[in-house]
């Protein structure tokens, strides 16, 4: 774009809908980075809220830090460098100084920080203090304030914004600060005054000023409460509306329980169903045999036996002359289901059909012609199932496995096939019932809260950095017995690149050293999906011994021979995520192990001990929610769930109750929210939640 053109399109004064690119100090490159943070317009910038604040009350003088303490300090980098260690790990170290003293800060395995942190930079670092040739701070988190920050320690409140690759928190803060004064007057209130009054929260303009430029932490929290309240209010309104709507439109197929195929399967199974499976099946059958359309979410911990439940439901559809489809998020999972369900149904003379993107044209045509026939069929596939070209003549039931891996559109597209099929969504993310209802609105909920008997518990342990070589030796012993292992590194959005580098670096180190006589492969989210599938296939087939990976392996893959899950930087994971990862082992007859490796702060230790001491996904999820909040539970891709950017329905319990009351009042007086008084509210909701609104109608 030429400078002239740019000037021509740049409005004299920004409006809320001005693209950020045209704001002073932004430009195309930063605009691209802001887009990754969900910021497209000047107005979005206002809603990019600090996720943390620091002020003098949270910052400790360096001299006051003592071993064993948690602390946050601000100091200037007086020296820095990368140290190699005997174990091959490279450590970035910096010495920080403030008015009271100096402390060494150490980042193991992150030598590349040497390029982003310069001498004389001012850093804010939080972490645990330990003793290692003197006091040393182990950063849990750090922010580079650049060269000129001195204000924070002198009583100002520092707003810390979510940042992204190529756009530091500091630049973001600068941009927001530069435009705040001209943007604030453009914001007008959209919540009714009495709603604000009864909730006791400030107006939107005041709240924006308070969260971005607070004069005290208390003020920042007050502003935050308003923004959290409005999110909770909107979501409550959406649910109540969705419920009202669904009461009218949910007519579906009425299946008849003929006890033909299902009875045969029950007789053929090598095990008896658990009490929970039997109960859940009754719930599902009741739905399917009523003329209401089923829209049910089945939650069950890893290994709780969801697949066989789905198979019973699919057989019920088939014995009524319908087709049933099971959609899985990856080709590998689809193939896995195709194999295991195929074996399960062989005695019944039923052969499933596999439909994935990599089918050859001829095979694909055969599948298409079988689906076009009006005969019962059981189809297993990936999102290829929902592509336009795939036509079902009599689709009666749709099952979506690992449903949180799919976008709303994909689930909807599948449910829209055929004649309003019943829908069963399955997930291993075990969240408390009340929260599930908040998140998933009018879906009915079934819970598998019992695991099949006879599972060997997975031995789980947390080991310090000092035990690294012993841990690696142990893994090697397991490999020597012919088993396979996963080694997992975290990926966090804020510093995704950094963590990927950690996985990549460690892959090289492990392949060259501890596992040099083994076949080692690297798997991460930036690989093209066919490459990922290819690597997973080789691991499944035993052609790879050690898989060094990021959390991409989380989803229900089943490699019975894998007996070790080694997780580094365990403090960076949500407990539920750790639990999902642990679920990747313990699938065969052999004793399996999950080892968390790293020196963690006492806080993290408390949290991780809950995980180490429990194998109950629900208990772990509940603890995780209480300790860390929602975002962490879902990781980065919980698509379709109306996301809370500010609110946390569990922690903000009181606000959530107030929001529910307010939503009920609003809808009681104005069920469609179409009175002129509610027009601004309706407009904002429409804009913000157009996609989420769709969620509540699965088909
Ligand atoms: P998930 O809920 O994680 O998808 P799966 O459906 O893959 O779990 O089941 C895990 C394993 O448990 C499978 O090997 C399955 O055959 C087995 N299984 C399921 N139900 C039972 C049961 N009632 N008794 C014994 N084993 C079972
Ligand atoms: Mg599964």
């Amino acid at each position: 774009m030429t400078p002239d053109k740019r000037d021509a399109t740049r409005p004299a004064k920004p409006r809320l809908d001005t693209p950020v690119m045209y704001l002073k100090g932004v430009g195309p490159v930063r605009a691209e980075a802001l887009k990754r943070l969900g910021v497209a317009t000047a107005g979005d910038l206002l809603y990019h809220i600090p996720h943390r604040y620091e002020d003098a009350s949270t910052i400790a003088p360096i001299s006051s830090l003592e071993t064993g303490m948690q602390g946050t300090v601000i100091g200037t980098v007086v020296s820095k460098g990368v140290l190699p260690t005997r174990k091959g790990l490279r450590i970035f170290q910096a010495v920080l100084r403030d008015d009271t003293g100096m402390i060494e800060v150490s980042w193991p395995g992150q030598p590349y920080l040497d390029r982003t942190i310069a001498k004389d930079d001012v850093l804010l670092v939080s972490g645990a203090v330990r003793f290692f040739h003197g006091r040393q701070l182990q950063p849990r988190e750090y922010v580079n304030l650049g060269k000129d920050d001195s204000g924070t320690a002198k009583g100002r409140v520092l707003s810390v914004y979510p940042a992204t690759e190529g756009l530091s928190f500091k630049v973001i803060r600068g941009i927001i600060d530069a435009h705040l004064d001209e943007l604030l007057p453009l914001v007008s209130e959209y919540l009714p005054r009495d709603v604000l009054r009864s909730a006791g929260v400030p107006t939107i303009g005041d709240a924006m000023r308070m969260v971005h430029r607070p004069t005290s932490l208390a003020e920042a929290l007050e502003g935050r409460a308003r923004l959290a309240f409005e999110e909770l209010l909107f979501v409550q309104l959406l649910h109540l509306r969705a419920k009202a709507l669904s009461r009218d439109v949910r007519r579906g197929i009425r299946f008849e329980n003929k006890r033909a195929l299902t009875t045969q399967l029950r007789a053929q199974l090598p095990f008896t169903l658990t009490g929970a499976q039997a109960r859940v099946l009754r719930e599902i059958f009741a739905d399917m045999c009523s003329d209401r359309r089923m829209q049910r979410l089945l939650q069950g911990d890893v290994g709780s036996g969801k697949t066989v439940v789905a198979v019973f439901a699919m057989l019920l559809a088939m014995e009524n002359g319908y087709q049933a489809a099971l959609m899985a998020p990856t080709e590998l999972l689809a193939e896995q289901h195709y194999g295991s369900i195929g074996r399960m149904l062989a005695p019944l003379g039923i052969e499933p059909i596999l439909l994935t993107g990599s089918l050859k044209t001829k095979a694909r045509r055969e599948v298409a012609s079988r689906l076009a026939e009006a005969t019962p069929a059981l189809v297993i596939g990936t999102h290829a199932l929902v592509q336009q070209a795939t036509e079902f003549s009599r689709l009666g039931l749709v099952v979506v496995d690992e449903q949180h891996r799919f976008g709303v559109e994909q689930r909807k597209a599948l449910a829209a096939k055929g004649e309003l099929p019943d829908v069963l969504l399955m997930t291993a993310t075990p969240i408390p019932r009340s929260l599930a209802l908040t998140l998933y609105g009018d879906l009915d909920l079934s819970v598998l809260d019992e695991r099949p008997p006879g599972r060997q518990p997975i031995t789980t342990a947390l080991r310090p950095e000092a035990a690294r070589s012993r841990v690696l030796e142990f893994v090697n012993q397991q490999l020597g017995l012919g088993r396979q292992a996963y080694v997992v590194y975290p990926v966090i959005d804020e510093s995704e690149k950094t963590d990927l580098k950690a996985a990549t670096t460690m892959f090289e180190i492990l392949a060259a050293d501890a596992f040099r006589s083994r076949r080692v492969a690297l798997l991460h989210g930036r690989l093209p999906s066919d490459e990922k599938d290819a690597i997973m296939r080789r691991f499944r087939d035993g052609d790879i011994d050690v898989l060094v990976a990021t959390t991409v392996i989380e989803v229900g893959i089943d490699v019975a021979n894998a007996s070790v899950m080694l997780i580094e930087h365990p403090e960076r994971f949500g407990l539920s995520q750790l639990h999902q990862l642990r679920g990747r082992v313990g699938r065969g007859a052999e004793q399996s192990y999950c080892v968390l490796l790293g020196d963690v702060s006492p806080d993290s230790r408390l949290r991780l001990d809950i995980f180490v001491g429990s194998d109950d996904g629900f208990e772990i999820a509940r603890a995780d929610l209480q300790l860390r909040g929602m975002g962490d539970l879902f990781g980065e891709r919980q698509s379709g769930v109306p996301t809370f950017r500010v609110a946390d329905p569990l922690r903000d319990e009181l606000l959530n109750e107030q929001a529910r009351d307010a939503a009920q009042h609003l809808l009681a007086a104005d069920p469609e929210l179409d009175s002129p008084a509610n027009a601004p509210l309706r407009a904002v909701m429409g804009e913000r939640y157009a996609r989420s609104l769709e969620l509540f109608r699965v088909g």
Side-chain angles (χ1 to χ4, degrees):
M1 188 177 289
T2 66
D4 293 323
K5 266 199 192 137
R6 191 156 141 191
D7 281 348
T9 48
R10 181 192 298 206
K13 278 221 160 110
R15 306 187 325 188
L16 290 177
D17 60 359
T18 302
V20 274
M21 180 168 133
Y22 301 123
L23 292 179
K24 234 176 118 197
V26 183
V29 175
R30 285 178 173 173
E32 235 353 86
L34 281 169
K35 206 158 119 203
R36 284 201 298 276
L37 295 167
V39 176
T41 64
D44 294 341
L45 213 47
L46 285 177
Y47 286 91
H48 191 65
I49 308 297
H51 61 301
R52 209 157 55 76
Y53 296 92
E54 298 286 353
D55 77 346
S57 69
T58 61
I59 289 165
I62 286 178
S63 64
S64 73
L65 294 184
E66 282 171 34
T67 309
M69 243 173 95
Q70 288 293 307
T72 299
V73 301
I74 289 187
T76 306
V77 176
V78 293
S79 69
K80 60 154 198 167
V82 174
L83 302 179
T85 66
R86 269 183 298 135
K87 292 169 232 154
L89 190 71
R90 294 204 298 156
I91 300 179
F92 175 70
Q93 282 193 342
V95 175
L96 294 189
R97 178 167 61 202
D98 69 4
D99 295 343
T100 67
M102 297 204 274
I103 191 161
E104 186 176 87
V105 189
S106 155
W107 285 266
Q110 300 183 43
Y112 39 85
L113 287 180
D114 199 31
R115 287 198 300 269
T116 54
I117 294 177
K119 191 157 174 285
D120 295 332
D121 277 355
V122 177
L123 303 187
L124 180 151
V125 186
S126 309
V129 186
R130 63 170 197 171
F131 191 84
F132 189 78
H133 307 303
R135 283 180 316 159
Q136 192 183 62
L137 190 58
Q138 288 223 295
R140 172 163 41 84
E141 193 176 18
Y142 83 94
V143 175
N144 191 338
L145 302 171
K147 299 228 186 288
D148 54 3
D149 193 279
S150 51
T152 316
K154 300 200 169 68
R156 227 177 59 206
V157 180
L158 174 74
S159 310
V160 185
Y161 290 93
T164 184
E165 209 180 304
L167 197 62
S168 72
F169 119 88
K170 187 152 196 242
V171 172
I172 295 175
R173 187 176 56 148
I175 295 171
I176 293 177
D177 203 55
H179 295 283
L180 198 59
D181 290 327
E182 52 187 7
L183 293 178
L184 280 181
L186 305 178
V187 177
S188 53
E189 185 55 70
Y190 37 83
L191 295 186
R193 194 168 302 223
D194 49 336
V195 170
L196 291 180
R197 201 173 318 115
S198 62
V201 293
T203 62
I204 186 66
D206 286 347
M208 285 297 180
R209 207 269 305 146
M210 289 170 165
V211 293
H212 289 295
R213 214 182 267 157
T215 55
S216 66
L217 281 181
E219 204 183 64
L221 289 180
E222 194 184 338
R224 182 199 163 275
R226 145 73 203 227
L227 295 169
F229 172 76
E230 81 174 42
E231 281 185 347
L232 294 164
L233 174 68
F234 288 161
V235 170
Q236 296 287 357
L237 284 170
L238 289 173
H239 286 307
L240 293 173
R241 275 297 290 153
K243 270 205 173 117
L245 283 174
S246 70
R247 255 176 249 130
D248 316 330
V249 297
R250 276 175 61 168
R251 307 231 133 230
I253 305 165
R254 179 194 278 272
F255 295 97
E256 192 190 326
N257 189 355
K258 300 187 195 281
R259 300 178 208 282
L261 296 174
T262 52
T263 309
Q264 281 183 45
L265 176 62
R266 207 181 289 254
Q268 295 290 346
L269 281 181
F271 48 75
T272 46
L273 294 180
T274 63
Q277 283 170 323
R279 186 192 69 235
V280 162
L281 271 174
R282 278 198 299 278
E283 292 166 359
I284 292 172
F285 276 35
D287 273 6
M288 290 180 69
C289 295
S290 81
D291 55 10
R292 247 172 98 238
R293 182 176 189 198
M294 175 165 75
Q295 293 181 15
R296 189 169 279 277
L297 176 68
L298 171 58
Q299 272 189 26
D301 203 354
V302 210
S304 60
K306 293 184 288 295
T307 317
V308 68
V309 169
V311 173
F312 273 105
M314 290 194 284
L315 291 182
L316 177 63
M318 287 175 73
E319 66 185 26
N320 282 270
Y322 283 91
Q323 300 166 325
L326 171 66
M327 181 161 77
T330 64
E331 289 210 352
L332 206 70
L333 257 188
E335 282 172 18
Q336 188 176 293
H337 280 316
Y338 175 70
S340 64
I341 294 174
R343 283 189 295 279
M344 205 186 292
L345 296 182
L348 280 66
I350 295 174
E351 200 184 322
I353 300 169
L354 179 68
L355 178 57
T356 66
S358 60
L359 277 194
K360 298 275 177 331
T361 320
K362 182 158 164 281
R364 189 180 271 252
R365 230 179 266 135
E366 275 169 26
V367 169
S369 72
R370 279 202 56 189
L371 296 182
E373 287 165 31
T375 49
L378 195 160
V379 195
I380 296 165
T382 55
H383 60 274
L385 286 169
V386 303
Q387 271 150 13
Q388 290 243 313
T390 313
E391 303 235 16
F392 296 87
S393 70
R394 271 205 110 190
L395 187 60
L397 173 70
V398 163
V399 183
V400 182
D401 195 19
E402 309 287 351
Q403 67 93 20
H404 61 279
R405 289 277 167 154
F406 289 96
V408 186
E409 284 79 11
Q410 286 167 318
R411 291 196 306 244
K412 269 177 58 102
L414 185 53
K417 300 256 174 197
E419 30 188 296
L420 289 188
D422 279 5
V423 177
L424 179 65
L425 306 175
M426 306 203 293
T427 181
T429 305
I431 54 179
R433 190 173 196 100
S434 61
L435 182 59
L437 293 175
T438 304
L439 289 175
Y440 295 103
D442 73 329
L443 291 179
D444 293 305
L445 187 64
S446 286
V447 181
L448 279 180
D449 49 8
E450 182 184 345
R451 239 169 309 164
R455 269 310 137 70
Q456 277 210 47
I458 298 164
T459 305
T460 304
L462 172 61
R463 293 279 175 262
E465 201 47 53
R468 171 174 295 271
S469 53
R470 261 179 297 140
V471 168
L472 292 179
E473 204 174 295
F474 170 77
V475 178
N476 243 327
Q477 272 170 22
Q478 287 285 308
L479 298 174
L481 296 171
R483 315 262 191 284
Q484 290 159 282
Y486 300 95
V487 184
V488 177
Y489 294 86
V491 168
I492 296 172
D493 193 39
E494 195 170 351
S495 52
E496 195 166 329
K497 190 129 186 205
T498 348
D499 285 308
L500 269 187
K501 271 191 192 138
T504 313
T505 316
M506 288 311 293
F507 162 70
E508 280 161 15
I509 292 170
L510 292 172
D513 187 22
F515 303 135
R516 66 185 167 279
S517 59
R518 312 287 179 195
R519 295 161 300 176
V520 188
L522 175 67
L523 184 74
H524 61 71
R526 297 222 174 144
L527 295 175
S529 61
D530 51 344
E531 220 169 291
K532 271 187 282 195
D533 275 344
I535 293 173
M536 277 312 303
R537 268 192 204 100
R538 282 168 53 212
F539 187 70
R540 175 195 66 191
D541 298 341
D543 296 333
I544 292 171
D545 303 309
V546 181
L547 196 60
V548 177
T550 59
T551 52
V552 289
I553 56 158
E554 221 181 297
V555 125
I557 204 69
D558 199 352
V559 179
N561 190 47
S563 68
V564 183
M565 170 63 64
L566 173 60
I567 302 170
E568 295 227 38
H569 295 297
E571 75 284 359
R572 300 275 203 105
F573 294 91
L575 296 185
S576 291
Q577 219 177 0
L578 289 173
H579 184 65
Q580 300 278 312
L581 287 169
R582 178 166 58 184
R584 297 305 111 229
V585 297
R587 305 201 144 228
E590 309 302 337
Q591 172 63 50
S592 289
Y593 305 87
C594 176
V595 185
L596 312 181
L597 179 60
D599 291 337
V600 301
S601 69
D603 275 359
S604 298
R605 201 191 165 91
L606 280 179
R607 209 166 60 79
L608 293 172
D609 279 345
I610 297 172
F611 165 74
V612 171
S614 169
D615 65 350
D616 177 337
F618 281 86
E619 188 180 308
I620 289 171
R622 212 166 292 124
D624 211 15
L625 275 167
Q626 268 153 21
L627 291 164
R628 305 211 330 171
M630 293 258 308
D632 296 304
L633 187 62
F634 294 115
E636 39 196 23
R637 284 202 51 196
Q638 180 70 12
S639 41
V641 171
T643 43
F644 298 97
R645 300 181 62 159
V646 183
D648 180 337
L650 272 197
R651 286 184 194 171
D652 295 324
E653 211 179 325
L654 186 64
L655 274 181
N656 200 13
E657 270 167 36
Q658 288 174 322
R660 194 177 322 134
D661 289 347
Q664 272 159 359
H665 272 102
L666 278 169
L667 289 177
D670 182 9
E672 304 280 333
L673 289 182
D674 56 1
S675 72
N678 286 328
L681 166 69
R682 200 188 152 90
V684 170
M685 272 185 74
E687 231 170 80
R688 221 187 280 181
Y689 295 95
R691 257 174 60 89
S692 304
L693 258 171
E694 301 295 301
L695 173 76
F696 302 102
R697 276 168 280 167
V698 177

